Amino acid sequence: MMTDPIADMLTRIRNALQIERPYVDIPASKIKVAIAAALQREGYVWDYEVIEDSPQNVLRVNLKYGPNGERVIQRIVRESKPGRRAYQDLRSMPEVLQGLGVSILSTSKGVLSNREAKKEGVGGELLCTIW
């Protein structure tokens, strides 16, 4: 039994980037698909798809690299953990690397980046930080 499936997803992405894989397969869930959608909207991954061939659906995330093979995602960190939840309200939401990175939040309006959450005027649980 896995205690933190979001951390597992982020670790799989981190490991795939280390060996320069074009994509990574992750066991699918609604929250993981929503995180992949937020990463795509912010330009950190090319795209994603849910493959429904196996008994458990698989989320395939196509990773993004620069023109010379450099990684677009330099660092990806899990912020809120099962033992210590982290929440951000609208007023205390910090900029990540002065706007070069993003935070992914689980809000009442869905999984959003910190930029989208500010536009919507909501806060929520801080899932991860990416730059």
Side-chain angles (χ1 to χ4, degrees):
M1 180 175 166
M2 193 180 314
T3 59
D4 193 1
I6 296 173
D8 177 65
M9 173 189 183
L10 300 178
T11 300
R12 286 175 189 242
I13 291 173
R14 196 177 308 117
N15 290 342
L17 288 167
Q18 283 289 334
I19 60 173
E20 298 177 358
R21 298 276 310 254
Y23 64 88
V24 61
D25 289 339
I26 303 164
S29 69
K30 289 180 184 178
I31 188 81
K32 292 177 188 179
V33 171
I35 291 171
L39 289 174
Q40 183 186 16
R41 286 192 306 270
E42 290 295 327
Y44 285 99
V45 298
W46 284 114
D47 63 350
Y48 65 94
E49 61 181 324
V50 178
I51 301 169
E52 300 178 357
D53 293 339
S54 62
Q56 178 172 357
N57 296 343
V58 174
L59 172 66
R60 178 168 287 173
V61 178
N62 293 310
L63 302 173
K64 191 173 187 179
Y65 296 95
N68 296 326
E70 63 271 6
R71 289 182 245 156
V72 173
I73 298 175
Q74 297 296 318
R75 186 146 188 225
I76 186 164
V77 178
R78 175 80 159 120
E79 299 292 343
S80 181
K81 299 173 182 169
R84 183 190 51 84
R85 298 290 182 188
Y87 296 94
Q88 292 288 319
D89 63 349
L90 186 60
R91 292 180 299 279
S92 67
M93 200 174 303
E95 289 287 323
V96 179
L97 286 180
Q98 299 175 349
L100 294 177
V102 296
S103 296
I104 305 293
L105 292 101
S106 176
T107 69
S108 59
K109 298 192 177 189
V111 176
L112 304 172
S113 69
N114 60 341
R115 295 178 190 133
E116 295 168 333
K118 283 182 182 178
K119 286 180 186 174
E120 295 286 332
V122 295
E125 182 181 356
L126 180 62
L127 298 176
C128 61
T129 305
I130 298 140
W131 67 86

Short mmCIF file of all heavy atoms in Angstrom, two decimals, residues 2-17 23-40 44-45 47-50 56 58-63 73 76-78 104 111 127-128 130:
data_model
loop_
_atom_site.label_atom_id
_atom_site.label_comp_id
_atom_site.label_asym_id
_atom_site.label_seq_id
_atom_site.Cartn_x
_atom_site.Cartn_y
_atom_site.Cartn_z
N MET A 2 0.55 2.18 -0.86
CA MET A 2 1.33 3.40 -0.99
C MET A 2 0.72 4.49 -0.11
O MET A 2 -0.49 4.74 -0.16
CB MET A 2 1.33 3.83 -2.45
CG MET A 2 2.32 4.89 -2.78
SD MET A 2 2.30 5.35 -4.51
CE MET A 2 2.25 3.78 -5.31
N THR A 3 1.53 5.17 0.69
CA THR A 3 1.00 6.19 1.58
C THR A 3 0.92 7.56 0.93
O THR A 3 0.11 8.38 1.34
CB THR A 3 1.86 6.31 2.85
OG1 THR A 3 3.19 6.63 2.47
CG2 THR A 3 1.83 5.02 3.64
N ASP A 4 1.75 7.84 -0.07
CA ASP A 4 1.74 9.14 -0.72
C ASP A 4 1.88 8.99 -2.23
O ASP A 4 2.98 9.03 -2.79
CB ASP A 4 2.87 10.01 -0.17
CG ASP A 4 2.71 11.47 -0.55
OD1 ASP A 4 1.72 11.82 -1.23
OD2 ASP A 4 3.59 12.27 -0.18
N PRO A 5 0.76 8.79 -2.94
CA PRO A 5 0.83 8.57 -4.39
C PRO A 5 1.32 9.80 -5.18
O PRO A 5 1.92 9.64 -6.24
CB PRO A 5 -0.59 8.19 -4.78
CG PRO A 5 -1.44 8.50 -3.62
CD PRO A 5 -0.57 8.63 -2.41
N ILE A 6 1.10 11.00 -4.66
CA ILE A 6 1.56 12.21 -5.37
C ILE A 6 3.09 12.27 -5.32
O ILE A 6 3.73 12.60 -6.32
CB ILE A 6 0.92 13.47 -4.79
CG1 ILE A 6 -0.59 13.42 -5.02
CG2 ILE A 6 1.51 14.73 -5.41
CD1 ILE A 6 -1.37 14.52 -4.35
N ALA A 7 3.67 11.94 -4.17
CA ALA A 7 5.14 11.91 -4.06
C ALA A 7 5.71 10.85 -4.99
O ALA A 7 6.77 11.06 -5.60
CB ALA A 7 5.56 11.65 -2.63
N ASP A 8 5.01 9.72 -5.13
CA ASP A 8 5.45 8.68 -6.06
C ASP A 8 5.44 9.20 -7.49
O ASP A 8 6.37 8.95 -8.26
CB ASP A 8 4.56 7.45 -5.92
CG ASP A 8 4.92 6.36 -6.91
OD1 ASP A 8 6.04 5.82 -6.80
OD2 ASP A 8 4.09 6.06 -7.79
N MET A 9 4.40 9.95 -7.87
CA MET A 9 4.32 10.52 -9.21
C MET A 9 5.48 11.48 -9.47
O MET A 9 6.14 11.41 -10.51
CB MET A 9 2.99 11.27 -9.37
CG MET A 9 2.86 12.04 -10.65
SD MET A 9 1.41 13.08 -10.65
CE MET A 9 1.50 13.77 -12.29
N LEU A 10 5.75 12.36 -8.51
CA LEU A 10 6.82 13.33 -8.68
C LEU A 10 8.19 12.65 -8.75
O LEU A 10 9.06 13.05 -9.52
CB LEU A 10 6.78 14.35 -7.54
CG LEU A 10 5.49 15.16 -7.43
CD1 LEU A 10 5.56 16.11 -6.25
CD2 LEU A 10 5.17 15.90 -8.70
N THR A 11 8.37 11.58 -7.97
CA THR A 11 9.62 10.84 -8.00
C THR A 11 9.81 10.14 -9.33
O THR A 11 10.91 10.11 -9.88
CB THR A 11 9.67 9.83 -6.84
OG1 THR A 11 9.57 10.55 -5.62
CG2 THR A 11 10.96 9.03 -6.86
N ARG A 12 8.74 9.59 -9.88
CA ARG A 12 8.83 8.95 -11.20
C ARG A 12 9.21 9.96 -12.28
O ARG A 12 10.01 9.67 -13.17
CB ARG A 12 7.52 8.26 -11.56
CG ARG A 12 7.27 6.99 -10.78
CD ARG A 12 5.89 6.44 -11.10
NE ARG A 12 5.53 5.34 -10.23
CZ ARG A 12 5.30 4.10 -10.65
NH1 ARG A 12 5.37 3.81 -11.93
NH2 ARG A 12 4.97 3.16 -9.80
N ILE A 13 8.64 11.16 -12.21
CA ILE A 13 8.98 12.21 -13.17
C ILE A 13 10.44 12.62 -12.99
O ILE A 13 11.19 12.73 -13.96
CB ILE A 13 8.04 13.42 -13.01
CG1 ILE A 13 6.63 13.05 -13.48
CG2 ILE A 13 8.56 14.62 -13.78
CD1 ILE A 13 5.59 14.11 -13.20
N ARG A 14 10.88 12.80 -11.76
CA ARG A 14 12.26 13.18 -11.46
C ARG A 14 13.24 12.13 -11.97
O ARG A 14 14.26 12.46 -12.59
CB ARG A 14 12.40 13.36 -9.94
CG ARG A 14 13.62 14.10 -9.50
CD ARG A 14 13.66 14.29 -7.98
NE ARG A 14 12.44 14.87 -7.44
CZ ARG A 14 11.63 14.25 -6.56
NH1 ARG A 14 11.90 13.04 -6.14
NH2 ARG A 14 10.56 14.87 -6.11
N ASN A 15 12.94 10.85 -11.74
CA ASN A 15 13.82 9.78 -12.20
C ASN A 15 13.87 9.68 -13.72
O ASN A 15 14.92 9.45 -14.31
CB ASN A 15 13.37 8.44 -11.61
CG ASN A 15 13.63 8.36 -10.13
OD1 ASN A 15 14.40 9.13 -9.57
ND2 ASN A 15 12.95 7.44 -9.47
N ALA A 16 12.73 9.87 -14.38
CA ALA A 16 12.68 9.83 -15.85
C ALA A 16 13.48 10.99 -16.45
O ALA A 16 14.14 10.83 -17.48
CB ALA A 16 11.25 9.86 -16.33
N LEU A 17 13.43 12.15 -15.80
CA LEU A 17 14.22 13.28 -16.29
C LEU A 17 15.71 13.03 -16.13
O LEU A 17 16.51 13.44 -16.97
CB LEU A 17 13.83 14.55 -15.53
CG LEU A 17 12.46 15.13 -15.88
CD1 LEU A 17 12.07 16.18 -14.86
CD2 LEU A 17 12.48 15.72 -17.27
N TYR A 23 9.11 9.89 -22.04
CA TYR A 23 7.84 9.86 -21.31
C TYR A 23 8.00 9.01 -20.07
O TYR A 23 8.97 8.29 -19.89
CB TYR A 23 6.70 9.31 -22.19
CG TYR A 23 6.89 7.87 -22.60
CD1 TYR A 23 6.43 6.83 -21.79
CD2 TYR A 23 7.52 7.54 -23.79
CE1 TYR A 23 6.61 5.51 -22.16
CE2 TYR A 23 7.71 6.23 -24.17
CZ TYR A 23 7.24 5.22 -23.34
OH TYR A 23 7.43 3.91 -23.70
N VAL A 24 6.99 9.11 -19.19
CA VAL A 24 6.98 8.30 -17.96
C VAL A 24 5.55 7.80 -17.76
O VAL A 24 4.59 8.52 -18.01
CB VAL A 24 7.48 9.11 -16.74
CG1 VAL A 24 6.62 10.33 -16.47
CG2 VAL A 24 7.57 8.25 -15.51
N ASP A 25 5.42 6.52 -17.37
CA ASP A 25 4.12 5.92 -17.09
C ASP A 25 3.90 5.88 -15.59
O ASP A 25 4.78 5.45 -14.83
CB ASP A 25 4.04 4.51 -17.66
CG ASP A 25 3.97 4.50 -19.18
OD1 ASP A 25 3.58 5.54 -19.75
OD2 ASP A 25 4.29 3.47 -19.78
N ILE A 26 2.71 6.33 -15.17
CA ILE A 26 2.36 6.45 -13.76
C ILE A 26 0.98 5.83 -13.57
O ILE A 26 0.10 6.05 -14.41
CB ILE A 26 2.32 7.94 -13.35
CG1 ILE A 26 3.66 8.62 -13.66
CG2 ILE A 26 1.95 8.11 -11.90
CD1 ILE A 26 3.60 10.12 -13.66
N PRO A 27 0.74 5.08 -12.48
CA PRO A 27 -0.63 4.63 -12.22
C PRO A 27 -1.57 5.84 -12.10
O PRO A 27 -1.26 6.80 -11.39
CB PRO A 27 -0.52 3.89 -10.89
CG PRO A 27 0.92 3.52 -10.78
CD PRO A 27 1.68 4.59 -11.50
N ALA A 28 -2.68 5.81 -12.81
CA ALA A 28 -3.54 6.99 -12.93
C ALA A 28 -4.51 7.12 -11.77
O ALA A 28 -4.95 6.14 -11.18
CB ALA A 28 -4.32 6.93 -14.23
N SER A 29 -4.81 8.37 -11.44
CA SER A 29 -5.89 8.74 -10.53
C SER A 29 -6.34 10.14 -10.94
O SER A 29 -5.66 10.82 -11.73
CB SER A 29 -5.44 8.71 -9.07
OG SER A 29 -4.53 9.75 -8.82
N LYS A 30 -7.46 10.59 -10.42
CA LYS A 30 -7.99 11.89 -10.81
C LYS A 30 -7.04 13.02 -10.43
O LYS A 30 -6.83 13.95 -11.20
CB LYS A 30 -9.35 12.12 -10.16
CG LYS A 30 -10.45 11.27 -10.74
CD LYS A 30 -11.77 11.56 -10.05
CE LYS A 30 -12.85 10.64 -10.55
NZ LYS A 30 -14.13 10.88 -9.87
N ILE A 31 -6.45 12.95 -9.23
CA ILE A 31 -5.55 14.02 -8.78
C ILE A 31 -4.27 14.05 -9.61
O ILE A 31 -3.77 15.12 -9.95
CB ILE A 31 -5.26 13.90 -7.27
CG1 ILE A 31 -4.49 15.12 -6.75
CG2 ILE A 31 -4.47 12.66 -6.94
CD1 ILE A 31 -5.34 16.29 -6.48
N LYS A 32 -3.76 12.89 -9.99
CA LYS A 32 -2.54 12.84 -10.80
C LYS A 32 -2.80 13.39 -12.20
O LYS A 32 -1.96 14.10 -12.76
CB LYS A 32 -2.00 11.41 -10.88
CG LYS A 32 -1.46 10.90 -9.57
CD LYS A 32 -1.03 9.46 -9.73
CE LYS A 32 -0.67 8.82 -8.42
NZ LYS A 32 -0.28 7.41 -8.61
N VAL A 33 -3.95 13.09 -12.77
CA VAL A 33 -4.31 13.63 -14.09
C VAL A 33 -4.46 15.15 -13.99
O VAL A 33 -4.01 15.88 -14.88
CB VAL A 33 -5.61 12.97 -14.61
CG1 VAL A 33 -6.11 13.67 -15.86
CG2 VAL A 33 -5.37 11.49 -14.89
N ALA A 34 -5.03 15.64 -12.90
CA ALA A 34 -5.19 17.08 -12.72
C ALA A 34 -3.83 17.77 -12.55
O ALA A 34 -3.61 18.87 -13.07
CB ALA A 34 -6.07 17.36 -11.51
N ILE A 35 -2.89 17.13 -11.85
CA ILE A 35 -1.54 17.69 -11.71
C ILE A 35 -0.85 17.72 -13.07
O ILE A 35 -0.20 18.71 -13.43
CB ILE A 35 -0.73 16.89 -10.68
CG1 ILE A 35 -1.30 17.11 -9.27
CG2 ILE A 35 0.74 17.28 -10.71
CD1 ILE A 35 -0.72 16.20 -8.22
N ALA A 36 -0.98 16.65 -13.85
CA ALA A 36 -0.38 16.61 -15.19
C ALA A 36 -0.97 17.70 -16.08
O ALA A 36 -0.25 18.32 -16.86
CB ALA A 36 -0.58 15.23 -15.82
N ALA A 37 -2.27 17.95 -15.96
CA ALA A 37 -2.91 19.01 -16.74
C ALA A 37 -2.36 20.38 -16.35
O ALA A 37 -2.11 21.23 -17.21
CB ALA A 37 -4.42 18.96 -16.55
N ALA A 38 -2.14 20.59 -15.05
CA ALA A 38 -1.58 21.87 -14.59
C ALA A 38 -0.15 22.03 -15.09
O ALA A 38 0.25 23.13 -15.50
CB ALA A 38 -1.63 21.95 -13.07
N LEU A 39 0.63 20.95 -15.09
CA LEU A 39 2.00 21.01 -15.61
C LEU A 39 2.01 21.32 -17.10
O LEU A 39 2.87 22.06 -17.59
CB LEU A 39 2.74 19.69 -15.34
CG LEU A 39 3.10 19.40 -13.90
CD1 LEU A 39 3.70 18.01 -13.78
CD2 LEU A 39 4.05 20.43 -13.35
N GLN A 40 1.05 20.79 -17.83
CA GLN A 40 0.96 21.07 -19.26
C GLN A 40 0.55 22.53 -19.50
O GLN A 40 1.12 23.20 -20.36
CB GLN A 40 -0.04 20.14 -19.95
CG GLN A 40 -0.10 20.37 -21.44
CD GLN A 40 -1.17 19.55 -22.13
OE1 GLN A 40 -2.07 19.03 -21.47
NE2 GLN A 40 -1.08 19.44 -23.43
N TYR A 44 5.50 22.81 -18.58
CA TYR A 44 6.57 21.96 -18.06
C TYR A 44 6.58 20.57 -18.69
O TYR A 44 7.60 19.88 -18.61
CB TYR A 44 6.48 21.85 -16.54
CG TYR A 44 6.95 23.11 -15.86
CD1 TYR A 44 6.04 24.05 -15.40
CD2 TYR A 44 8.30 23.37 -15.70
CE1 TYR A 44 6.46 25.21 -14.79
CE2 TYR A 44 8.73 24.53 -15.10
CZ TYR A 44 7.81 25.45 -14.64
OH TYR A 44 8.23 26.61 -14.06
N VAL A 45 5.48 20.13 -19.29
CA VAL A 45 5.43 18.86 -20.01
C VAL A 45 4.72 19.10 -21.34
O VAL A 45 3.94 20.05 -21.49
CB VAL A 45 4.69 17.75 -19.21
CG1 VAL A 45 5.40 17.45 -17.91
CG2 VAL A 45 3.25 18.10 -18.95
N ASP A 47 2.57 16.89 -23.12
CA ASP A 47 1.17 16.51 -22.97
C ASP A 47 1.10 15.26 -22.11
O ASP A 47 2.12 14.77 -21.62
CB ASP A 47 0.48 16.30 -24.32
CG ASP A 47 1.09 15.16 -25.12
OD1 ASP A 47 2.15 14.65 -24.74
OD2 ASP A 47 0.48 14.76 -26.13
N TYR A 48 -0.11 14.77 -21.93
CA TYR A 48 -0.35 13.58 -21.13
C TYR A 48 -1.54 12.86 -21.72
O TYR A 48 -2.34 13.45 -22.46
CB TYR A 48 -0.60 13.94 -19.67
CG TYR A 48 -1.87 14.73 -19.47
CD1 TYR A 48 -3.07 14.09 -19.15
CD2 TYR A 48 -1.90 16.10 -19.63
CE1 TYR A 48 -4.23 14.80 -19.00
CE2 TYR A 48 -3.06 16.82 -19.48
CZ TYR A 48 -4.23 16.17 -19.16
OH TYR A 48 -5.39 16.87 -19.02
N GLU A 49 -1.64 11.57 -21.42
CA GLU A 49 -2.80 10.79 -21.85
C GLU A 49 -3.04 9.69 -20.84
O GLU A 49 -2.11 9.22 -20.18
CB GLU A 49 -2.59 10.21 -23.25
CG GLU A 49 -1.42 9.27 -23.36
CD GLU A 49 -1.23 8.73 -24.76
OE1 GLU A 49 -2.24 8.50 -25.45
OE2 GLU A 49 -0.08 8.52 -25.16
N VAL A 50 -4.29 9.28 -20.73
CA VAL A 50 -4.65 8.17 -19.86
C VAL A 50 -4.86 6.95 -20.75
O VAL A 50 -5.70 6.96 -21.65
CB VAL A 50 -5.93 8.49 -19.05
CG1 VAL A 50 -6.32 7.30 -18.20
CG2 VAL A 50 -5.72 9.72 -18.19
N GLN A 56 -5.44 -1.48 -14.33
CA GLN A 56 -5.45 -0.14 -13.75
C GLN A 56 -5.02 0.83 -14.84
O GLN A 56 -4.05 0.58 -15.56
CB GLN A 56 -4.50 -0.03 -12.57
CG GLN A 56 -4.49 1.39 -12.02
CD GLN A 56 -3.72 1.53 -10.73
OE1 GLN A 56 -3.24 0.54 -10.21
NE2 GLN A 56 -3.62 2.74 -10.25
N VAL A 58 -3.30 3.83 -16.79
CA VAL A 58 -1.94 4.36 -16.71
C VAL A 58 -1.94 5.77 -17.26
O VAL A 58 -2.50 6.03 -18.33
CB VAL A 58 -0.96 3.46 -17.51
CG1 VAL A 58 0.42 4.08 -17.55
CG2 VAL A 58 -0.91 2.08 -16.91
N LEU A 59 -1.31 6.68 -16.55
CA LEU A 59 -1.14 8.05 -16.99
C LEU A 59 0.24 8.15 -17.64
O LEU A 59 1.25 7.91 -16.98
CB LEU A 59 -1.24 9.01 -15.79
CG LEU A 59 -0.89 10.47 -16.05
CD1 LEU A 59 -1.89 11.10 -17.01
CD2 LEU A 59 -0.85 11.23 -14.74
N ARG A 60 0.28 8.48 -18.92
CA ARG A 60 1.56 8.65 -19.62
C ARG A 60 1.81 10.14 -19.79
O ARG A 60 1.04 10.85 -20.43
CB ARG A 60 1.53 7.97 -20.97
CG ARG A 60 2.84 8.17 -21.74
CD ARG A 60 2.94 7.27 -22.93
NE ARG A 60 3.20 5.91 -22.43
CZ ARG A 60 3.21 4.85 -23.21
NH1 ARG A 60 2.99 4.97 -24.50
NH2 ARG A 60 3.46 3.66 -22.71
N VAL A 61 2.91 10.62 -19.20
CA VAL A 61 3.28 12.03 -19.26
C VAL A 61 4.47 12.14 -20.20
O VAL A 61 5.52 11.53 -19.96
CB VAL A 61 3.64 12.56 -17.85
CG1 VAL A 61 4.07 14.01 -17.93
CG2 VAL A 61 2.46 12.40 -16.90
N ASN A 62 4.32 12.90 -21.28
CA ASN A 62 5.40 13.14 -22.23
C ASN A 62 6.21 14.33 -21.75
O ASN A 62 5.71 15.46 -21.68
CB ASN A 62 4.85 13.39 -23.63
CG ASN A 62 4.18 12.16 -24.18
OD1 ASN A 62 4.75 11.07 -24.16
ND2 ASN A 62 2.96 12.32 -24.66
N LEU A 63 7.46 14.08 -21.40
CA LEU A 63 8.32 15.08 -20.79
C LEU A 63 8.86 16.04 -21.84
O LEU A 63 8.97 15.71 -23.02
CB LEU A 63 9.46 14.40 -20.05
CG LEU A 63 9.01 13.43 -18.96
CD1 LEU A 63 10.19 12.69 -18.39
CD2 LEU A 63 8.27 14.17 -17.87
N ILE A 73 12.18 20.93 -16.53
CA ILE A 73 11.98 20.85 -15.08
C ILE A 73 13.34 20.64 -14.44
O ILE A 73 13.96 19.59 -14.59
CB ILE A 73 11.03 19.69 -14.71
CG1 ILE A 73 9.65 19.90 -15.33
CG2 ILE A 73 10.93 19.55 -13.21
CD1 ILE A 73 8.70 18.75 -15.11
N ILE A 76 11.69 19.49 -8.81
CA ILE A 76 10.28 19.28 -8.49
C ILE A 76 10.23 18.75 -7.06
O ILE A 76 10.87 17.75 -6.74
CB ILE A 76 9.60 18.35 -9.52
CG1 ILE A 76 8.13 18.24 -9.30
CG2 ILE A 76 10.27 17.01 -9.58
CD1 ILE A 76 7.37 17.65 -10.48
N VAL A 77 9.52 19.46 -6.18
CA VAL A 77 9.56 19.18 -4.74
C VAL A 77 8.13 19.01 -4.22
O VAL A 77 7.26 19.83 -4.50
CB VAL A 77 10.25 20.33 -3.98
CG1 VAL A 77 10.26 20.08 -2.49
CG2 VAL A 77 11.64 20.57 -4.50
N ARG A 78 7.90 17.96 -3.45
CA ARG A 78 6.62 17.74 -2.78
C ARG A 78 6.60 18.61 -1.53
O ARG A 78 7.49 18.52 -0.68
CB ARG A 78 6.48 16.25 -2.42
CG ARG A 78 5.24 15.91 -1.61
CD ARG A 78 4.03 15.81 -2.48
NE ARG A 78 3.00 15.03 -1.84
CZ ARG A 78 1.79 15.50 -1.56
NH1 ARG A 78 1.48 16.74 -1.88
NH2 ARG A 78 0.89 14.74 -1.00
N ILE A 104 1.90 24.15 -7.43
CA ILE A 104 0.64 23.50 -7.80
C ILE A 104 -0.18 23.36 -6.52
O ILE A 104 0.32 22.83 -5.53
CB ILE A 104 0.89 22.12 -8.45
CG1 ILE A 104 1.82 22.24 -9.66
CG2 ILE A 104 -0.42 21.47 -8.82
CD1 ILE A 104 1.26 23.00 -10.82
N VAL A 111 -7.36 21.61 -9.30
CA VAL A 111 -5.90 21.71 -9.16
C VAL A 111 -5.43 22.83 -10.07
O VAL A 111 -5.62 22.78 -11.29
CB VAL A 111 -5.22 20.37 -9.50
CG1 VAL A 111 -3.71 20.51 -9.44
CG2 VAL A 111 -5.69 19.29 -8.55
N LEU A 127 0.56 21.45 -3.08
CA LEU A 127 0.97 20.09 -3.41
C LEU A 127 2.46 20.00 -3.72
O LEU A 127 3.16 19.16 -3.16
CB LEU A 127 0.15 19.57 -4.59
CG LEU A 127 -1.35 19.45 -4.37
CD1 LEU A 127 -2.02 19.00 -5.65
CD2 LEU A 127 -1.65 18.52 -3.24
N CYS A 128 2.95 20.83 -4.65
CA CYS A 128 4.35 20.74 -5.05
C CYS A 128 4.81 22.07 -5.63
O CYS A 128 4.02 22.92 -5.97
CB CYS A 128 4.58 19.61 -6.03
SG CYS A 128 3.67 19.78 -7.57
N ILE A 130 7.67 23.60 -8.57
CA ILE A 130 8.43 23.20 -9.75
C ILE A 130 9.18 24.41 -10.29
O ILE A 130 8.63 25.51 -10.37
CB ILE A 130 7.49 22.64 -10.83
CG1 ILE A 130 6.78 21.41 -10.31
CG2 ILE A 130 8.24 22.31 -12.09
CD1 ILE A 130 5.37 21.34 -10.71
#
